[in-house]
Amino acid sequence: MKLFELLKEEFVVAQLQSSQKEDVINELINLFKNDPRVANLEKVREAVLEREKIMSTGVGKGFAIPHGKTAAVNDILAAFGKTKSPIEYQALDSQPVNLIFLLVGKDNLVSRHIKLLSRISRMMNKDDFRGKLIEASSKEDIIELFKKEEESYFEV
Amino acid sequence: MIAIEYILIIGASLIILSIAIAKLFDNLGVPTLILFIGVGILAGSEGPGGIYFDDAGFAQSIGIIALIFILFAGGLDTNWKSVKHTAWHAVSLSTAGVFLTSIFIAVFLTVFFDFRFILGLLIGSIISSTDAAAVFSILRSKNISLKGKVKSILELESGSNDPMAVFLTVGCIQLLTIPEKTVLDIALLFIFQMGLGSAFGFLFGKGLVILINQLKFSYEGIYPVFTLAFAILVFGFTTLLNGSGFLAVYILGLVVGNSSFVQKRSMIRFFDGLAWLSQIAMFLTLGLLVFPNQIIAVIGLGLLISLFLIFVARPLSVFLSLSLLKLNWREMTLISWVGLRGAVPIILATFPMLAGLPDAEMIFNVVFFIVITSALLQGWSLPLAAKWLKLDEPFKPKISYPMEFNPSEDSDTEVIDLIIPYNSQITGKTLAELDFPADSRIVMIWRNEKCIIPGGGTILETGDALLILVNKNNIERVKEIITPIHPS
């Protein structure tokens, strides 16, 4: 399963409207509103916020990856957004966050879910990739960046 | 009337015995059909079991119900994307191929045994459908799989040729019993049956998917039950309106199995189990129904038809119906050889009995014998044939992920996945150095697309994603362990 294939245009936001942690997460979750793979959007919200409550998913360097698993979806869904300016996210390195990747998976796809988390984490750890994402101004550019980065990730 | 507890004890014991025997013979590559029918025969009036059973109507009802479930489960489990490219091969085999097989058998019986052509055609139709499930279970027990197109052609063929065989059988019986029926009537009926069957299967399939997605049942277990009732309904309606109910349920399964909906996984498991139960119940019943002593009388005829079917009729019809569809001779030879006959012919053989045809007993016994010889001869030689034709490859088990875990609500333990923060001080350290709380564990580490089951000496890296089991009371402690960040 490729990340850039999960990131359809409708799931990418070049500039998020919200500036509070929970609002930003909600804004991304709402992108799944009309997706047939989602049986219940509120359950998705619950799962993601619940996981966030246990431990912040702000993993440092301005990047956060809110995620959750729930029976209310039947696949793995992803969304990505950038905030206008860095926001307070209670990140583990206490730095503000501006790049946010949301991953929602069906509850019994545990391994596939973690595998993607690990891949995203590796990719986002690269300074130049984060830099390019911050500069990108359109959805298309963002998806293209993910595509290229993921390809080079698999070449290594 | 026998008390219910006796019936239950006998039924359940036979099922358990069948499963035990199937397990025992697992590595020998004997088709399960033979084993289950064998149990049925032994339990029957001529075996030590001594159960007298000759109710062909009851056996047929069991057979039809079982076939509905087996076909639906088969469709449900067929990945359309991976077999799509062979759809024409399969359709050609299950229409032209099945028809040609029946014709060849009819000619053979007419020329050499003086049968009436229609009677010959009836026998040909009854034995014209194949059973791929038997093929794959034999291959799996030998840990081999088939290469390329052959596998998906066989899979799709065996699901779609049963409706055709049912149709031809019913058509022949009509020609034999209703004098005013003409071949043209039957041909028109064919178009109508298959047209209505596929249309209903497709439309109701789409409808069912929408229903499942819209109706929010509170209990997961309701979904398969709802689907089950729906499938039976579609079969009933289609048949009532003179369409092919079997084709409709198979296509219904295909459509549903290849759409996305929430409870799919549990649904497939449910129907997989149901298909097994159906198979066992059906074979046991058919084993009980047959009287081996009567088979002896038809061994000569049965054996000759079997050999003709295996060595002439099936290969000829395979080569003819696939002639336009670029396959090499090795592929076509293998497809010819794995035309194993399964339960469907035996179920169809009860049709003439219920229609009251004079030769019904003979037909049933001949068909029974043919199915057994085909399953034994082709079943046993199958791995060898695949090897000779260089179309075998190692069996790849379905990818199963190392863990499926649902945390229980009444335990203090949470399962969480966690990305190690960037620049965390724990990277480069071994797990043993971490001082994790005693009741919490790192269960899995995913790194570079691979899963690592960690030990005390495993070193953590940046980018690792962890699955941890952690006592709720210790989450803060775990956080303290992983958070100290190196200044970047």
Side-chain angles (χ1 to χ4, degrees):
Chain A
M1 185 178 283
K2 291 281 160 56
L3 278 176
F4 76 90
E5 287 167 358
L6 293 176
L7 281 178
K8 302 266 163 49
E9 250 176 57
E10 64 260 39
F11 303 142
V12 175
V13 183
Q15 202 181 69
L16 291 160
Q17 298 301 313
S18 327
S19 55
Q20 298 290 323
K21 175 174 176 177
E22 200 167 316
D23 298 341
V24 165
I25 295 175
N26 276 322
E27 196 179 335
L28 285 172
I29 289 175
N30 287 340
L31 298 173
F32 300 144
K33 200 177 232 160
N34 294 318
D35 196 283
R37 295 168 295 175
V38 178
N40 185 337
L41 199 66
E42 290 318 304
K43 288 267 164 67
V44 172
R45 210 183 303 280
E46 226 169 76
V48 174
L49 295 178
E50 190 61 32
R51 167 64 189 84
E52 201 61 46
K53 219 190 292 170
I54 295 172
M55 197 182 297
S56 173
T57 58
V59 293
K61 300 188 178 177
F63 173 60
I65 174 160
H67 58 92
K69 291 190 293 274
T70 166
V73 297
N74 66 4
D75 197 0
I76 293 186
L77 292 87
F80 177 78
K82 302 194 291 173
T83 56
K84 259 181 240 174
S85 50
I87 63 163
E88 171 52 33
Y89 197 97
Q90 291 105 42
L92 298 169
D93 66 350
S94 308
Q95 299 300 307
V97 159
N98 57 352
L99 300 171
I100 297 160
F101 198 112
L102 169 70
L103 192 70
V104 177
K106 176 159 174 59
D107 53 355
N108 57 12
L109 300 177
V110 180
S111 297
R112 221 182 293 182
H113 189 84
I114 315 188
K115 188 167 156 179
L116 287 175
L117 286 178
S118 156
R119 193 189 306 160
I120 298 164
S121 164
R122 282 256 154 161
M123 287 163 61
M124 295 300 296
N125 189 30
K126 287 193 173 164
D127 295 340
D128 69 316
F129 180 52
R130 282 199 319 279
K132 280 185 209 156
L133 280 175
I134 291 169
E135 278 162 32
S137 54
S138 74
K139 299 174 174 202
E140 293 80 7
D141 291 350
I142 293 174
I143 294 172
E144 191 55 34
L145 281 169
F146 269 101
K147 189 175 170 183
K148 276 198 190 128
E149 187 61 30
E150 193 168 27
E151 276 162 5
S152 72
Y153 166 87
F154 276 106
E155 274 161 22
V156 178
Chain B
M1 188 66 201
I2 311 168
I4 180 78
E5 55 269 30
Y6 288 114
I7 298 179
L8 291 178
I9 289 172
I10 292 168
S13 310
L14 287 179
I15 290 176
I16 290 173
L17 189 64
S18 304
I19 295 170
I21 287 184
K23 174 76 196 151
L24 206 64
F25 284 80
D26 199 21
N27 299 322
L28 296 177
V30 185
T32 44
L33 166 147
I34 301 277
L35 301 172
F36 295 161
I37 283 188
V39 174
I41 290 178
L42 290 178
S45 51
E46 292 177 11
I51 303 170
Y52 185 84
F53 176 77
D54 68 348
D55 189 342
F58 182 74
Q60 191 187 74
S61 306
I62 298 239
I64 288 174
I65 296 170
L67 200 52
I68 295 174
F69 296 154
I70 292 168
L71 283 175
F72 182 74
L76 203 61
D77 203 27
T78 301
N79 182 348
W80 178 245
K81 260 192 201 150
S82 66
V83 295
K84 196 167 60 178
H85 62 290
T86 58
W88 284 116
H89 302 81
V91 168
S92 179
L93 277 176
S94 57
T95 50
V98 165
F99 186 64
L100 286 171
T101 305
S102 327
I103 294 281
F104 292 139
I105 297 282
V107 171
F108 176 72
L109 288 174
T110 316
V111 172
F112 292 100
F113 296 93
D114 252 354
F115 273 55
R116 280 174 64 198
F117 185 76
I118 292 294
L119 189 63
L121 193 62
L122 175 63
I123 296 180
S125 308
I126 291 175
I127 57 173
S128 63
S129 88
T130 60
D131 180 4
V135 175
F136 295 125
S137 72
I138 293 169
L139 289 174
R140 200 168 313 152
S141 69
K142 297 270 176 196
N143 268 327
I144 46 181
S145 181
L146 299 177
K147 265 185 202 158
K149 279 187 179 168
V150 179
K151 184 168 184 272
S152 67
I153 291 177
L154 289 170
E155 193 180 344
L156 213 50
E157 181 207 3
S158 74
S160 55
N161 65 12
D162 299 331
M164 180 70 179
V166 174
F167 162 77
L168 282 176
T169 305
V170 173
C172 287
I173 292 177
Q174 288 196 354
L175 284 176
L176 280 166
T177 52
I178 312 173
E180 56 269 32
K181 285 273 176 192
T182 65
V183 173
L184 182 67
D185 291 338
I186 303 294
L188 288 176
L189 182 65
F190 169 74
I191 295 170
F192 185 78
Q193 279 224 331
M194 298 302 158
L196 196 70
S198 20
F200 273 25
F202 185 79
L203 293 176
F204 282 112
K206 290 287 178 195
L208 179 56
V209 173
I210 296 173
L211 270 179
I212 297 175
N213 276 330
Q214 293 293 325
L215 294 172
K216 302 241 156 52
F217 300 125
S218 323
Y219 304 99
E220 189 170 333
I222 294 288
Y223 288 89
V225 178
F226 179 77
T227 308
L228 172 73
F230 197 90
I232 297 172
L233 208 60
V234 168
F235 175 84
F237 264 127
T238 315
T239 312
L240 194 70
L241 296 173
N242 251 325
S244 169
F246 292 113
L247 185 60
V249 282
Y250 179 63
I251 293 181
L252 184 76
L254 263 182
V255 172
V256 173
N258 288 282
S259 312
S260 53
F261 54 92
V262 180
Q263 308 295 352
K264 192 159 160 181
R265 194 179 277 240
S266 59
M267 184 96 83
I268 288 179
R269 285 213 189 113
F270 175 86
F271 279 100
D272 187 48
L274 191 62
W276 272 108
L277 177 66
S278 306
Q279 282 210 34
I280 296 176
M282 177 172 75
F283 289 136
L284 282 175
T285 314
L286 295 173
L288 279 174
L289 184 65
V290 77
F291 294 92
N293 276 329
Q294 297 174 7
I295 303 246
I296 292 168
V298 297
I299 282 184
L301 179 63
L303 195 61
L304 287 172
I305 302 180
S306 249
L307 294 175
F308 181 77
L309 173 70
I310 294 171
F311 290 104
V312 184
R314 167 81 179 171
L316 261 184
S317 47
V318 166
F319 276 80
L320 282 174
S321 53
L322 293 180
S323 55
L324 299 174
L325 295 158
K326 295 179 194 152
L327 280 183
N328 64 42
W329 68 268
R330 283 190 286 122
E331 289 169 316
M332 289 200 274
T333 309
L334 188 63
I335 293 174
S336 306
W337 192 249
V338 293
L340 260 73
R341 313 290 134 170
V344 176
I346 307 183
I347 297 172
L348 289 178
T350 62
F351 280 51
M353 285 184 170
L354 294 177
L357 288 190
D359 301 309
E361 288 281 329
M362 179 273 290
I363 295 176
F364 183 83
N365 291 327
V366 166
V367 168
F368 197 93
F369 185 78
I370 293 170
V371 169
I372 302 292
T373 42
S374 153
L376 280 177
L377 179 63
Q378 290 176 303
W380 253 321
S381 58
L382 172 61
L384 220 55
K387 206 171 175 181
W388 277 343
L389 293 163
K390 298 190 175 75
L391 290 168
D392 61 326
E393 62 179 14
F395 177 72
K396 291 186 210 92
K398 277 190 184 165
I399 298 164
S400 64
Y401 289 90
M403 252 196 133
E404 288 184 17
F405 189 93
N406 291 319
S408 129
E409 275 163 13
D410 46 341
S411 106
D412 279 343
T413 307
E414 290 251 17
V415 184
I416 60 174
D417 18 43
L418 179 92
I419 290 180
I420 298 180
Y422 298 145
N423 294 334
S424 165
Q425 291 191 0
I426 64 168
T427 54
K429 289 194 180 164
T430 62
L431 293 195
E433 289 173 88
L434 287 188
D435 198 21
F436 238 58
D439 52 3
S440 305
R441 290 272 182 286
I442 298 180
V443 188
M444 266 204 275
I445 301 174
W446 278 89
R447 175 184 300 163
N448 294 332
E449 306 299 303
K450 289 203 178 65
C451 174
I452 300 166
I453 306 292
T458 308
I459 295 171
L460 294 167
E461 290 181 11
T462 303
D464 287 355
L466 317 177
L467 185 78
I468 61 177
L469 274 172
V470 54
N471 187 303
K472 278 178 191 157
N473 306 319
N474 284 324
I475 288 179
E476 280 310 309
R477 174 79 196 111
V478 170
K479 204 163 159 182
E480 277 166 26
I481 294 170
I482 66 164
T483 21
I485 306 288
H486 288 293
S488 49

